[in-house]
Amino acid sequence: MRVKAAAYPYVAWALLLIAIPLGLIIYFSFTDSAGSFTMENLIQVGGYSNVLIKSVWLSVISTIICLLMGYPVAYIMSRSSAVTARTLLLLIMLPMWMNFLLRTYGWMSILENNGLINQFFGLFGLGPFEMINTQGAVVLGMVYNYIPFMILPLHSVMTKIGKDVIEAAQDLGAGPVKVLSEVVLPLSLPGIKTGVIMVFVPAVSTFIISQMLGGGGNQLIGDIIELQFLGNAYNPNLGSAISLVLMLLVLLIISVSGFLNDDDLEEKLL
């Protein structure tokens, strides 16, 4: 009974901040401004299919880059001494202590035509290069802001891989590549799956990064949703419908692109 009572605050919190908002989104998605049932909102979502596809594509690219960059960093941290690991972890976490908006604004100063990078190239008579207001700048902003969410779960999982496991594989004749591909990689799959979800979900729904680094020509689906709730094109019913479709699409992508389910992973490790 005491165990159940301890769960009541969490249940109340989940109802207040998850179930009720989700119910409102579903309600507004299937109603018009007068509260009457309609499918028109969902039909209009089809008009933003190109923006939705672009948002998913840029998010996938950013997630892959975060994985390729974060995996070796997490592995090095997991094999380092306690002091070195804590120092690297602090360096990774430090930018996250700064406001998200300020971090993104800093990249505007770096990438703009008279920014630090173009000023450096100007010393050699090069440029200015068009870096701001591009899809590349949006991907860069996503990678910079979300790569800690890839490194942290990877590091958490890799620290549980004992050195004796790697040494045993080496004693059995496995080289560095074999150890990585057949020992470290399978054991770190839960961290990879968690990191991919933690990066992809906020990346696909972002709007600040695309507004500040992408300009008006690189709108993502998050920008469209924001305009429906806060912009001049105020239409919370359409905004809710787009949000619902995006949520379902993200759930579908995550479910069908799973690397291995738990049973497959257990069989592989055994």
Short mmCIF file of all heavy atoms in Angstrom, two decimals, residues 178-231:
data_model
loop_
_atom_site.label_atom_id
_atom_site.label_comp_id
_atom_site.label_asym_id
_atom_site.label_seq_id
_atom_site.Cartn_x
_atom_site.Cartn_y
_atom_site.Cartn_z
N LYS A 178 37.95 -6.14 -34.18
CA LYS A 178 37.06 -7.22 -33.77
C LYS A 178 36.49 -6.95 -32.38
O LYS A 178 35.31 -7.21 -32.12
CB LYS A 178 37.83 -8.53 -33.75
CG LYS A 178 36.95 -9.77 -33.78
CD LYS A 178 37.15 -10.52 -35.06
CE LYS A 178 36.34 -11.79 -35.10
NZ LYS A 178 36.29 -12.37 -36.44
N VAL A 179 37.31 -6.44 -31.48
CA VAL A 179 36.82 -6.10 -30.14
C VAL A 179 35.74 -5.05 -30.22
O VAL A 179 34.70 -5.13 -29.54
CB VAL A 179 37.99 -5.62 -29.26
CG1 VAL A 179 37.47 -5.05 -27.95
CG2 VAL A 179 38.95 -6.76 -28.97
N LEU A 180 35.97 -4.05 -31.06
CA LEU A 180 34.99 -2.96 -31.19
C LEU A 180 33.69 -3.46 -31.81
O LEU A 180 32.60 -3.13 -31.32
CB LEU A 180 35.57 -1.83 -32.04
CG LEU A 180 34.65 -0.63 -32.30
CD1 LEU A 180 34.29 0.06 -30.99
CD2 LEU A 180 35.31 0.35 -33.26
N SER A 181 33.79 -4.25 -32.88
CA SER A 181 32.60 -4.64 -33.63
C SER A 181 31.81 -5.76 -32.97
O SER A 181 30.59 -5.83 -33.12
CB SER A 181 32.99 -5.05 -35.06
OG SER A 181 33.87 -6.17 -35.03
N GLU A 182 32.50 -6.66 -32.24
CA GLU A 182 31.81 -7.83 -31.71
C GLU A 182 31.68 -7.84 -30.19
O GLU A 182 31.02 -8.73 -29.64
CB GLU A 182 32.53 -9.10 -32.18
CG GLU A 182 32.52 -9.27 -33.69
CD GLU A 182 32.94 -10.66 -34.13
OE1 GLU A 182 33.07 -11.55 -33.26
OE2 GLU A 182 33.13 -10.86 -35.33
N VAL A 183 32.32 -6.90 -29.52
CA VAL A 183 32.20 -6.84 -28.06
C VAL A 183 31.62 -5.49 -27.62
O VAL A 183 30.54 -5.43 -27.02
CB VAL A 183 33.57 -7.08 -27.38
CG1 VAL A 183 33.42 -6.96 -25.86
CG2 VAL A 183 34.12 -8.44 -27.76
N VAL A 184 32.34 -4.42 -27.92
CA VAL A 184 31.93 -3.09 -27.44
C VAL A 184 30.63 -2.65 -28.10
O VAL A 184 29.70 -2.17 -27.42
CB VAL A 184 33.05 -2.06 -27.69
CG1 VAL A 184 32.59 -0.67 -27.24
CG2 VAL A 184 34.32 -2.45 -26.95
N LEU A 185 30.55 -2.78 -29.42
CA LEU A 185 29.36 -2.29 -30.14
C LEU A 185 28.08 -3.00 -29.71
O LEU A 185 27.08 -2.33 -29.40
CB LEU A 185 29.58 -2.43 -31.65
CG LEU A 185 28.47 -1.83 -32.54
CD1 LEU A 185 28.33 -0.34 -32.27
CD2 LEU A 185 28.79 -2.08 -34.01
N PRO A 186 28.04 -4.35 -29.65
CA PRO A 186 26.80 -5.00 -29.18
C PRO A 186 26.42 -4.61 -27.76
O PRO A 186 25.23 -4.41 -27.46
CB PRO A 186 27.12 -6.49 -29.29
CG PRO A 186 28.21 -6.58 -30.30
CD PRO A 186 29.03 -5.34 -30.11
N LEU A 187 27.42 -4.50 -26.88
CA LEU A 187 27.11 -4.16 -25.49
C LEU A 187 26.68 -2.70 -25.33
O LEU A 187 26.03 -2.36 -24.33
CB LEU A 187 28.34 -4.43 -24.61
CG LEU A 187 28.70 -5.92 -24.42
CD1 LEU A 187 30.02 -6.04 -23.66
CD2 LEU A 187 27.59 -6.64 -23.67
N SER A 188 27.03 -1.86 -26.28
CA SER A 188 26.67 -0.44 -26.18
C SER A 188 25.41 -0.10 -26.97
O SER A 188 25.02 1.07 -27.03
CB SER A 188 27.83 0.44 -26.67
OG SER A 188 28.14 0.17 -28.03
N LEU A 189 24.77 -1.11 -27.57
CA LEU A 189 23.56 -0.85 -28.36
C LEU A 189 22.44 -0.16 -27.55
O LEU A 189 21.77 0.73 -28.09
CB LEU A 189 23.04 -2.15 -28.96
CG LEU A 189 23.65 -2.56 -30.30
CD1 LEU A 189 23.08 -3.89 -30.76
CD2 LEU A 189 23.43 -1.50 -31.35
N PRO A 190 22.20 -0.52 -26.29
CA PRO A 190 21.17 0.21 -25.54
C PRO A 190 21.47 1.71 -25.44
O PRO A 190 20.56 2.54 -25.53
CB PRO A 190 21.20 -0.45 -24.16
CG PRO A 190 21.72 -1.82 -24.42
CD PRO A 190 22.72 -1.67 -25.51
N GLY A 191 22.75 2.07 -25.26
CA GLY A 191 23.12 3.48 -25.22
C GLY A 191 22.95 4.16 -26.55
O GLY A 191 22.55 5.33 -26.62
N ILE A 192 23.24 3.43 -27.64
CA ILE A 192 23.05 4.00 -28.98
C ILE A 192 21.58 4.28 -29.22
O ILE A 192 21.21 5.37 -29.70
CB ILE A 192 23.60 3.02 -30.04
CG1 ILE A 192 25.12 2.90 -29.93
CG2 ILE A 192 23.21 3.49 -31.44
CD1 ILE A 192 25.73 1.89 -30.87
N LYS A 193 20.72 3.33 -28.89
CA LYS A 193 19.29 3.50 -29.11
C LYS A 193 18.74 4.67 -28.29
O LYS A 193 17.97 5.49 -28.79
CB LYS A 193 18.56 2.20 -28.76
CG LYS A 193 18.91 1.04 -29.68
CD LYS A 193 18.43 -0.28 -29.15
CE LYS A 193 16.94 -0.40 -29.19
NZ LYS A 193 16.47 -1.77 -28.83
N THR A 194 19.18 4.77 -27.04
CA THR A 194 18.73 5.89 -26.20
C THR A 194 19.23 7.22 -26.74
O THR A 194 18.48 8.20 -26.80
CB THR A 194 19.21 5.69 -24.75
OG1 THR A 194 18.74 4.45 -24.25
CG2 THR A 194 18.72 6.82 -23.86
N GLY A 195 20.50 7.27 -27.13
CA GLY A 195 21.08 8.50 -27.66
C GLY A 195 20.41 8.94 -28.94
O GLY A 195 20.15 10.14 -29.14
N VAL A 196 20.11 7.99 -29.83
CA VAL A 196 19.45 8.33 -31.09
C VAL A 196 18.08 8.95 -30.82
O VAL A 196 17.70 9.96 -31.43
CB VAL A 196 19.32 7.07 -31.97
CG1 VAL A 196 18.35 7.30 -33.12
CG2 VAL A 196 20.69 6.68 -32.53
N ILE A 197 17.33 8.36 -29.92
CA ILE A 197 16.00 8.90 -29.60
C ILE A 197 16.11 10.28 -28.96
O ILE A 197 15.36 11.20 -29.31
CB ILE A 197 15.25 7.93 -28.67
CG1 ILE A 197 14.95 6.62 -29.39
CG2 ILE A 197 13.95 8.57 -28.16
CD1 ILE A 197 14.36 5.55 -28.51
N MET A 198 17.06 10.44 -28.04
CA MET A 198 17.20 11.71 -27.32
C MET A 198 17.69 12.84 -28.22
O MET A 198 17.46 14.02 -27.92
CB MET A 198 18.15 11.53 -26.13
CG MET A 198 17.61 10.65 -25.04
SD MET A 198 18.72 10.50 -23.63
CE MET A 198 18.70 12.18 -23.00
N VAL A 199 18.35 12.51 -29.32
CA VAL A 199 18.80 13.53 -30.27
C VAL A 199 17.74 13.77 -31.34
O VAL A 199 17.42 14.91 -31.68
CB VAL A 199 20.14 13.13 -30.92
CG1 VAL A 199 20.49 14.10 -32.06
CG2 VAL A 199 21.25 13.14 -29.89
N PHE A 200 17.19 12.69 -31.89
CA PHE A 200 16.27 12.83 -33.01
C PHE A 200 14.99 13.55 -32.63
O PHE A 200 14.51 14.41 -33.38
CB PHE A 200 15.94 11.44 -33.57
CG PHE A 200 14.95 11.47 -34.70
CD1 PHE A 200 15.34 11.85 -35.97
CD2 PHE A 200 13.62 11.12 -34.48
CE1 PHE A 200 14.42 11.89 -37.01
CE2 PHE A 200 12.71 11.15 -35.52
CZ PHE A 200 13.11 11.54 -36.79
N VAL A 201 14.42 13.22 -31.48
CA VAL A 201 13.12 13.79 -31.10
C VAL A 201 13.18 15.32 -30.96
O VAL A 201 12.35 16.03 -31.56
CB VAL A 201 12.60 13.13 -29.81
CG1 VAL A 201 11.36 13.87 -29.30
CG2 VAL A 201 12.26 11.66 -30.07
N PRO A 202 14.12 15.89 -30.21
CA PRO A 202 14.15 17.36 -30.15
C PRO A 202 14.61 18.01 -31.46
O PRO A 202 14.20 19.13 -31.77
CB PRO A 202 15.14 17.65 -29.01
CG PRO A 202 16.01 16.45 -28.94
CD PRO A 202 15.13 15.29 -29.30
N ALA A 203 15.45 17.30 -32.24
CA ALA A 203 15.92 17.87 -33.49
C ALA A 203 14.81 18.01 -34.51
O ALA A 203 14.71 19.02 -35.22
CB ALA A 203 17.06 17.01 -34.06
N VAL A 204 13.93 17.01 -34.60
CA VAL A 204 12.88 17.04 -35.61
C VAL A 204 11.81 18.08 -35.29
O VAL A 204 11.08 18.52 -36.19
CB VAL A 204 12.24 15.63 -35.75
CG1 VAL A 204 11.30 15.33 -34.60
CG2 VAL A 204 11.52 15.50 -37.09
N SER A 205 11.70 18.49 -34.04
CA SER A 205 10.66 19.44 -33.64
C SER A 205 11.22 20.82 -33.30
O SER A 205 10.48 21.68 -32.84
CB SER A 205 9.89 18.90 -32.44
OG SER A 205 10.76 18.64 -31.35
N THR A 206 12.50 21.04 -33.52
CA THR A 206 13.11 22.32 -33.15
C THR A 206 12.58 23.46 -34.02
O THR A 206 12.17 23.25 -35.17
CB THR A 206 14.64 22.25 -33.27
OG1 THR A 206 15.20 23.46 -32.75
CG2 THR A 206 15.08 22.08 -34.71
N PHE A 207 12.61 24.67 -33.49
CA PHE A 207 12.24 25.83 -34.29
C PHE A 207 13.19 27.00 -34.05
O PHE A 207 13.39 27.83 -34.94
CB PHE A 207 10.79 26.26 -34.03
CG PHE A 207 10.49 26.62 -32.60
CD1 PHE A 207 10.59 27.93 -32.18
CD2 PHE A 207 10.11 25.66 -31.69
CE1 PHE A 207 10.30 28.28 -30.86
CE2 PHE A 207 9.82 25.99 -30.38
CZ PHE A 207 9.92 27.31 -29.96
N ILE A 208 13.79 27.09 -32.88
CA ILE A 208 14.73 28.17 -32.59
C ILE A 208 15.95 28.08 -33.49
O ILE A 208 16.41 29.07 -34.08
CB ILE A 208 15.15 28.15 -31.11
CG1 ILE A 208 13.97 28.53 -30.21
CG2 ILE A 208 16.33 29.10 -30.87
CD1 ILE A 208 13.49 29.94 -30.42
N ILE A 209 16.50 26.88 -33.64
CA ILE A 209 17.72 26.70 -34.44
C ILE A 209 17.47 27.06 -35.89
O ILE A 209 18.26 27.77 -36.52
CB ILE A 209 18.23 25.25 -34.32
CG1 ILE A 209 18.66 24.96 -32.89
CG2 ILE A 209 19.38 24.99 -35.29
CD1 ILE A 209 19.06 23.51 -32.65
N SER A 210 16.36 26.60 -36.45
CA SER A 210 16.06 26.89 -37.85
C SER A 210 15.77 28.37 -38.06
O SER A 210 16.12 28.93 -39.11
CB SER A 210 14.86 26.05 -38.31
OG SER A 210 13.75 26.22 -37.45
N GLN A 211 15.16 29.03 -37.09
CA GLN A 211 14.88 30.45 -37.23
C GLN A 211 16.15 31.29 -37.18
O GLN A 211 16.33 32.22 -37.98
CB GLN A 211 13.92 30.90 -36.12
CG GLN A 211 12.49 30.43 -36.30
CD GLN A 211 11.59 30.89 -35.18
OE1 GLN A 211 11.99 31.65 -34.29
NE2 GLN A 211 10.34 30.42 -35.18
N MET A 212 17.05 30.95 -36.27
CA MET A 212 18.24 31.77 -36.05
C MET A 212 19.37 31.44 -37.02
O MET A 212 20.12 32.34 -37.42
CB MET A 212 18.72 31.61 -34.61
CG MET A 212 17.70 32.03 -33.57
SD MET A 212 18.30 31.90 -31.87
CE MET A 212 19.49 33.24 -31.83
N LEU A 213 19.51 30.19 -37.40
CA LEU A 213 20.61 29.79 -38.26
C LEU A 213 20.18 29.46 -39.68
O LEU A 213 21.01 29.45 -40.59
CB LEU A 213 21.33 28.58 -37.66
CG LEU A 213 21.94 28.75 -36.28
CD1 LEU A 213 22.65 27.48 -35.83
CD2 LEU A 213 22.92 29.92 -36.26
N GLY A 214 18.89 29.18 -39.87
CA GLY A 214 18.43 28.78 -41.19
C GLY A 214 17.78 29.89 -41.99
O GLY A 214 17.67 29.80 -43.21
N GLY A 215 17.33 30.94 -41.32
CA GLY A 215 16.65 32.02 -42.04
C GLY A 215 15.26 31.61 -42.47
O GLY A 215 14.79 30.50 -42.24
N GLY A 216 14.59 32.51 -43.17
CA GLY A 216 13.22 32.25 -43.60
C GLY A 216 13.09 31.17 -44.64
O GLY A 216 12.02 30.58 -44.80
N GLY A 217 14.17 30.87 -45.37
CA GLY A 217 14.10 29.88 -46.44
C GLY A 217 14.31 28.46 -45.97
O GLY A 217 14.29 27.53 -46.79
N ASN A 218 14.56 28.25 -44.70
CA ASN A 218 14.82 26.91 -44.17
C ASN A 218 13.90 26.59 -43.00
O ASN A 218 14.33 26.15 -41.95
CB ASN A 218 16.28 26.78 -43.75
CG ASN A 218 17.23 26.77 -44.93
OD1 ASN A 218 17.34 25.78 -45.63
ND2 ASN A 218 17.91 27.89 -45.16
N GLN A 219 12.62 26.86 -43.20
CA GLN A 219 11.65 26.56 -42.16
C GLN A 219 11.51 25.06 -41.95
O GLN A 219 11.50 24.29 -42.90
CB GLN A 219 10.28 27.14 -42.53
CG GLN A 219 10.10 28.61 -42.20
CD GLN A 219 8.66 29.04 -42.34
OE1 GLN A 219 7.89 28.48 -43.11
NE2 GLN A 219 8.27 30.05 -41.59
N LEU A 220 11.41 24.67 -40.70
CA LEU A 220 11.15 23.28 -40.35
C LEU A 220 9.73 23.17 -39.80
O LEU A 220 9.05 24.17 -39.59
CB LEU A 220 12.18 22.79 -39.33
CG LEU A 220 13.64 22.83 -39.78
CD1 LEU A 220 14.54 22.24 -38.71
CD2 LEU A 220 13.85 22.11 -41.11
N ILE A 221 9.31 21.95 -39.54
CA ILE A 221 7.94 21.73 -39.11
C ILE A 221 7.68 22.39 -37.76
O ILE A 221 6.55 22.83 -37.47
CB ILE A 221 7.62 20.22 -39.06
CG1 ILE A 221 6.11 19.99 -39.04
CG2 ILE A 221 8.31 19.56 -37.89
CD1 ILE A 221 5.42 20.41 -40.32
N GLY A 222 8.72 22.51 -36.93
CA GLY A 222 8.56 23.20 -35.65
C GLY A 222 8.21 24.66 -35.83
O GLY A 222 7.44 25.23 -35.04
N ASP A 223 8.76 25.29 -36.88
CA ASP A 223 8.43 26.69 -37.17
C ASP A 223 6.97 26.83 -37.57
O ASP A 223 6.30 27.79 -37.18
CB ASP A 223 9.32 27.21 -38.29
CG ASP A 223 10.79 27.14 -37.94
OD1 ASP A 223 11.17 27.69 -36.90
OD2 ASP A 223 11.56 26.54 -38.71
N ILE A 224 6.48 25.88 -38.37
CA ILE A 224 5.08 25.92 -38.80
C ILE A 224 4.15 25.78 -37.60
O ILE A 224 3.15 26.50 -37.49
CB ILE A 224 4.80 24.81 -39.83
CG1 ILE A 224 5.76 24.91 -41.02
CG2 ILE A 224 3.36 24.87 -40.29
CD1 ILE A 224 5.65 26.19 -41.79
N ILE A 225 4.49 24.87 -36.70
CA ILE A 225 3.66 24.68 -35.50
C ILE A 225 3.66 25.94 -34.65
O ILE A 225 2.61 26.37 -34.14
CB ILE A 225 4.17 23.47 -34.70
CG1 ILE A 225 3.97 22.17 -35.50
CG2 ILE A 225 3.44 23.36 -33.35
CD1 ILE A 225 4.58 20.95 -34.86
N GLU A 226 4.82 26.54 -34.48
CA GLU A 226 4.91 27.77 -33.68
C GLU A 226 4.05 28.87 -34.28
O GLU A 226 3.37 29.62 -33.55
CB GLU A 226 6.36 28.23 -33.58
CG GLU A 226 6.54 29.39 -32.62
CD GLU A 226 7.72 30.28 -32.99
OE1 GLU A 226 8.22 30.18 -34.12
OE2 GLU A 226 8.12 31.09 -32.14
N LEU A 227 4.06 29.00 -35.61
CA LEU A 227 3.27 30.04 -36.26
C LEU A 227 1.78 29.85 -36.01
O LEU A 227 1.03 30.83 -35.90
CB LEU A 227 3.55 30.04 -37.77
CG LEU A 227 4.91 30.59 -38.22
CD1 LEU A 227 5.09 30.38 -39.72
CD2 LEU A 227 5.03 32.06 -37.86
N GLN A 228 1.34 28.60 -35.92
CA GLN A 228 -0.08 28.34 -35.70
C GLN A 228 -0.52 28.71 -34.29
O GLN A 228 -1.70 29.02 -34.06
CB GLN A 228 -0.39 26.85 -35.96
CG GLN A 228 0.04 26.35 -37.32
CD GLN A 228 -0.49 27.18 -38.46
OE1 GLN A 228 -1.65 27.58 -38.47
NE2 GLN A 228 0.37 27.44 -39.44
N PHE A 229 0.41 28.67 -33.34
CA PHE A 229 0.06 28.97 -31.94
C PHE A 229 0.42 30.40 -31.53
O PHE A 229 -0.27 31.00 -30.70
CB PHE A 229 0.74 27.98 -31.00
CG PHE A 229 0.13 26.61 -31.00
CD1 PHE A 229 0.69 25.59 -31.74
CD2 PHE A 229 -1.02 26.36 -30.28
CE1 PHE A 229 0.12 24.33 -31.76
CE2 PHE A 229 -1.60 25.10 -30.28
CZ PHE A 229 -1.03 24.08 -31.03
N LEU A 230 1.52 30.93 -32.08
CA LEU A 230 2.02 32.22 -31.62
C LEU A 230 2.15 33.26 -32.72
O LEU A 230 2.35 34.43 -32.43
CB LEU A 230 3.40 32.04 -30.94
CG LEU A 230 3.44 31.09 -29.74
CD1 LEU A 230 4.88 30.93 -29.25
CD2 LEU A 230 2.56 31.61 -28.60
N GLY A 231 2.09 32.83 -33.98
CA GLY A 231 2.32 33.75 -35.08
C GLY A 231 1.05 34.44 -35.56
O GLY A 231 -0.03 34.31 -34.97
#
